[in-house]
Amino acid sequence: YEDMWKSSIDKLNSFENNGASKWAEYLETCAAFLDCGLPNFIEEKLDLGSFQNFVWEALRDGLKRWPLQPHSSMLNSLFTSPKMCALASFQDLYVGLEPSENSGQIGGGVFRKTAPAVFGLLAALELHPNNEKAGVFAPIGGFRQVAESMQNLCIECGVKFYFETTVTCVAEDGVY
């Protein structure tokens, strides 16, 4: 494990000067976004204690980490390497948003198709080494297994499947 950790640090530092320490700082910011965002906005369970670190991260360094700016704006203020920016923003694509600022849009596009910086919480969820909630999980047998298991469950419950059939009507009593 130590060899892998050292190799990761060396790789980040090869992208830019102090890349590993900049990455660690970025993940701390993302962890604060996650620690506040998950309970308060996703689970809708008020956690006032999480706001202190969230606000600190949002305001520090002259608002470089402001969570409602375009994600790319925050990343460009923290990293000089395009590779580091890409590494820190690929999760935005998971939710169908662009990480890059759109200067022709109000707020850089965060009200339309541009991911806000707070979406860095996805990086914390996946990659933060000290986050108990961290990790990427996949179903045993792959994602195809999820569909096959759902189909089997449906069949057990009496659902009928028709493949290679044209649907001509959807009604309250069935699909024809």
Side-chain angles (χ1 to χ4, degrees):
Y1 180 77
E2 276 190 42
D3 289 342
M4 184 176 67
W5 186 250
K6 172 83 169 91
S7 175
S8 296
I9 289 172
D10 291 344
K11 180 57 89 176
L12 292 171
N13 287 333
S14 76
F15 292 150
E16 69 178 71
N17 191 30
N18 294 319
S21 61
K22 290 177 182 179
W23 179 255
E25 262 192 58
Y26 171 69
L27 285 184
E28 288 302 318
T29 298
C30 295
F33 291 170
L34 176 65
D35 291 344
C36 183
L38 184 64
N40 292 294
F41 303 109
I42 297 171
E43 296 172 344
E44 298 179 359
K45 298 176 186 171
L46 185 62
D47 178 11
L48 293 176
S50 65
F51 279 95
Q52 181 179 357
N53 200 24
F54 177 85
V55 170
W56 163 253
E57 289 295 332
L59 298 178
R60 76 183 201 146
D61 294 336
L63 300 174
K64 282 184 182 179
R65 294 160 167 52
W66 183 248
L68 299 180
Q69 68 179 319
H71 199 182
S72 63
S73 297
M74 179 173 80
L75 297 175
N76 290 334
S77 73
L78 301 175
F79 303 113
T80 58
S81 164
K83 287 185 178 184
M84 293 292 281
C85 290
L87 180 64
S89 64
F90 73 90
Q91 295 90 353
D92 298 340
L93 304 174
Y94 295 172
V95 292
L97 295 175
E98 301 167 0
S100 301
E101 176 179 6
N102 183 337
S103 59
Q105 298 278 328
I106 295 171
V110 295
F111 299 112
R112 300 203 47 138
K113 293 186 176 184
T114 301
V118 74
F119 274 47
L121 67 82
L122 296 171
L125 191 60
E126 288 187 352
L127 305 169
H128 195 281
N130 299 329
N131 188 341
E132 294 175 6
K133 303 174 193 87
V136 177
F137 303 94
I140 295 171
F143 285 98
R144 180 180 184 88
Q145 185 62 48
V146 173
E148 290 173 359
S149 296
M150 287 293 290
Q151 181 183 16
N152 291 337
L153 182 61
C154 288
I155 290 169
E156 288 175 20
C157 292
V159 174
K160 294 180 183 173
F161 289 86
Y162 298 93
F163 299 99
E164 298 182 34
T165 304
T166 302
V167 174
T168 58
C169 177
V170 177
E172 287 185 29
D173 62 337
V175 177
Y176 306 97

